[in-house]
């Protein structure tokens, strides 16, 4: 979230939606010196969390980033605290688990993307349900707000795919979580239900949006999603490409000085990656590049690491070798990878990369099935997350303050009892 403040385009999007619409008793957000309304704060927090594509991820039939819901959840918690409700960090974490579970379990068996709709619909839905609960809503109120979310449906995925990729993919989640709060507030004024919002033969969600396929819930909601969440730990890249980047970095270590000798770069991947981030004709902007399997492999081969700066126009234009490498990619689907991607006890995100040289020799095939942030690599990821935390804050806070914050996270009992406003104030201007 804090690191997003480095990005000039993000800076253009944050702040109140109406110019100078600040609120004396509103909610403060990092990078903005005056407090804002609940809806503006939801939008801003959600946008900052999502902008760099560096927050957590959950992949299934649908995919998404459940921590996107924190925009609405944190803003609502701060708003409620100002209204006299006690709201602790533990309370917020509990609501976060609920939002993760709602969004993630629905992702297991319902593919919006196959019908052209974007996954942030599930952010709006989860945020609306949880913030309605936070505002005192009961079972009927939550059912009614969910019905209104289904009536709203969701945005088309067009802005995530060439030739229409824009920064909307960086602010869409902030928009979705704020819309969820907006529906919660409307529902508080007059809670009305639509019992057949899913099943109506003419106007229901299942027929209109899902092309006749029912929305399903395949397991009881508990804590499965939070326990299987993917941490975006080492580098910013669309998650279907994370293991490909890791494989390419490994090859860089041995063959980084032979890039000009490469004839073909053989890539095996899973079906979701083929459909969403592979085979792009044009890479016109950073939003295109950080969602291109081939581009991510190319810059990882070139550098042996992956940074946000590698997606910028200036970087791409400054290294013609990137386009040369892109032209050598041969990307195919592995049926085994596609199957294991959906298996409940594996949830792999596998890729393999192999270099074929002009003289007929070949590199070893580097296969990585589980990214560093996967549950199977939790021990490995902890120190990386600590380093990521420090790196993302170093341009904004003093080293002493960063160490104090790390110490706070290590004291679980104190942290969980802390008022959410006290915790949040740590991340405002130093």
């Amino acid at each position: 979230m804090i690191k997003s403040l480095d990005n000039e385009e993000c800076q253009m999007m944050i702040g109140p939606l109406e110019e100078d619409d600040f609120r004396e008793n509103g909610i403060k957000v990092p990078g903005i010196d005056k407090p804002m309304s609940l809806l503006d704060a939801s939008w801003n927090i959600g946008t900052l969390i999502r902008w760099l594509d560096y927050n957590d991820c959950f992949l299934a039939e649908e995919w998404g980033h459940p921590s996107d819901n924190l925009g609405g959840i944190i803003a609502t918690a701060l708003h409620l605290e100002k209204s006299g409700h006690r709201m602790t960090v533990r309370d917020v974490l509990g609501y976060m688990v609920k939002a993760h579970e709602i969004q993630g379990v629905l992702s297991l068996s319902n593919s919006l993307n196959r019908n052209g709709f974007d996954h942030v619909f599930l952010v709006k839905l989860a945020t609306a349900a949880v913030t309605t609960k936070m505002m005192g809503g009961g079972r009927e109120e939550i059912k009614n707000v969910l019905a209104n979310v289904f009536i709203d449906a969701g945005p088309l995925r067009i802005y995530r795919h060439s030739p229409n990729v824009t920064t909307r993919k960086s602010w869409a989640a902030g928009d979705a979580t704020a819309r969820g709060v907006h529906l919660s507030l409307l529902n508080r004024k007059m809670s009305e239900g639509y019992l057949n919002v899913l099943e109506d033969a003419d106007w229901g969600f299942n027929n209109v949006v899902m092309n006749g396929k029912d929305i399903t819930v395949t397991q009881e909601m508990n804590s499965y999603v939070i326990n299987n969440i993917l941490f975006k730990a080492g580098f910013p890249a669309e998650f279907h490409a994370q293991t490909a980047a890791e494989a390419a970095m490994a090859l860089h270590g041995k063959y980084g000085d032979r890039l000009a000798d490469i004839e073909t770069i053989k890539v095996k991947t899973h079906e979701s990656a083929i459909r969403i981030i592979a085979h792009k004709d044009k890479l016109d902007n950073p939003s295109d590049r950080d969602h291109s399997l081939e581009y991510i492999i190319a810059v990882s081969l070139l550098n042996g690491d992956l940074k946000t700066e590698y997606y910028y126009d200036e970087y791409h234009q400054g290294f013609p070798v990137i386009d040369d490498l892109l032209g050598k990619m041969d990307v195919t689907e592995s049926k085994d990878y596609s199957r294991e991607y959906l298996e409940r006890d594996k949830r792999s995100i596998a890729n393999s990369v192999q270099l074929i040289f002009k003289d007929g020799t070949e590199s070893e095939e580097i296969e990585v099935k589980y990214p560093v942030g996967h549950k199977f690599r939790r021990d490995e990821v902890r120190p990386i997350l600590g380093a990521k935390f420090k790196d993302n804050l170093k341009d904004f806070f003093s080293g002493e303050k960063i160490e104090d914050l790390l110490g706070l996270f290590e004291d679980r009992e104190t942290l969980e009892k802390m008022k959410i406003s006290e915790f949040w104030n740590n991340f405002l201007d130093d």
Side-chain angles (χ1 to χ4, degrees), residues 2-3 6 390-398 402:
I2 300 296
K3 182 68 173 176
D6 269 343
K390 290 182 179 181
D391 185 62
N392 286 353
L393 296 187
K394 67 183 180 183
D395 293 334
F396 300 91
F397 299 135
S398 67
I402 293 172

Side-chain angles (χ1 to χ4, degrees), residues 111-146:
S111 178
L112 293 162
N113 64 79
R114 291 184 185 275
N115 297 305
F117 286 85
D118 195 47
H119 61 262
V120 297
F121 166 77
L122 295 177
V123 175
K124 177 170 62 173
L125 187 146
T127 294
V130 170
T131 57
T132 295
K133 174 69 173 177
M134 293 173 73
M135 293 179 192
R139 182 181 180 87
E140 287 304 309
E141 287 78 15
I142 293 172
K143 286 172 59 178
N144 291 345
V145 79
L146 290 177

Side-chain angles (χ1 to χ4, degrees), residues 278-291:
H279 305 308
K280 292 188 174 185
D281 293 331
K282 294 183 179 180
L283 300 173
D284 293 331
N285 56 54
S287 296
D288 261 333
R289 297 178 196 113
D290 72 11
H291 277 56

Side-chain angles (χ1 to χ4, degrees), residues 242-380:
Q242 292 262 322
T243 53
E246 195 171 344
M249 291 175 198
L251 289 168
H252 166 88
K254 191 170 181 180
Y255 304 101
D257 59 350
R258 295 189 62 192
L259 299 185
D261 300 330
I262 296 173
E263 179 75 27
T264 305
I265 302 169
K266 295 179 66 174
V267 181
K268 288 193 288 190
T269 190
H270 46 286
E271 186 272 340
S272 293
I274 292 280
R275 185 155 45 89
I276 300 302
I277 61 168
H279 305 308
K280 292 188 174 185
D281 293 331
K282 294 183 179 180
L283 300 173
D284 293 331
N285 56 54
S287 296
D288 261 333
R289 297 178 196 113
D290 72 11
H291 277 56
S292 166
L293 177 66
E294 292 91 337
Y295 188 89
I296 289 165
I297 291 171
V299 294
S300 298
L301 272 173
L302 177 62
N303 296 288
D305 65 0
L306 189 58
K307 300 178 181 179
T308 300
E309 293 83 349
Y310 297 165
Y311 301 125
Y312 294 166
D313 293 347
E314 299 81 4
Y315 188 87
H316 187 188
Q317 294 161 8
F319 292 89
V321 66
I322 296 173
D323 287 334
D324 182 55
L325 293 172
L326 291 176
K328 298 176 179 180
M329 300 279 177
D330 176 21
V331 180
T332 59
E333 178 189 356
S334 162
K335 297 296 184 183
D336 289 340
Y337 292 174
S338 297
R339 186 186 67 255
E340 293 179 359
Y341 175 86
L342 294 173
E343 288 183 10
R344 174 186 171 87
D345 295 331
K346 291 184 177 178
R347 310 216 72 84
S348 71
I349 312 136
N351 284 281
S352 73
V353 182
Q354 184 180 25
L355 308 180
I356 311 299
F357 294 101
K358 295 174 183 177
D359 63 5
T361 60
E362 302 177 355
S363 77
E364 58 271 46
E365 179 183 4
I366 302 295
E367 177 186 73
V368 184
K369 287 195 171 184
Y370 304 99
V372 175
H374 193 278
K375 70 173 182 179
F376 291 165
R377 298 176 69 180
R378 285 288 191 255
D379 289 342
E380 190 177 347

Side-chain angles (χ1 to χ4, degrees), residues 171-207:
W171 57 256
D175 177 56
T177 194
R179 287 176 188 265
V181 175
H182 178 72
L183 287 173
S184 295
L185 293 172
L186 288 176
N187 194 61
R188 214 165 49 156
K189 288 181 176 292
M190 184 177 291
S191 184
E192 297 177 311
Y194 307 85
L195 298 180
N196 61 342
V197 65
L198 295 179
E199 300 89 358
D200 188 274
D202 294 318
W203 315 115
F205 186 88
N206 291 339
N207 282 313

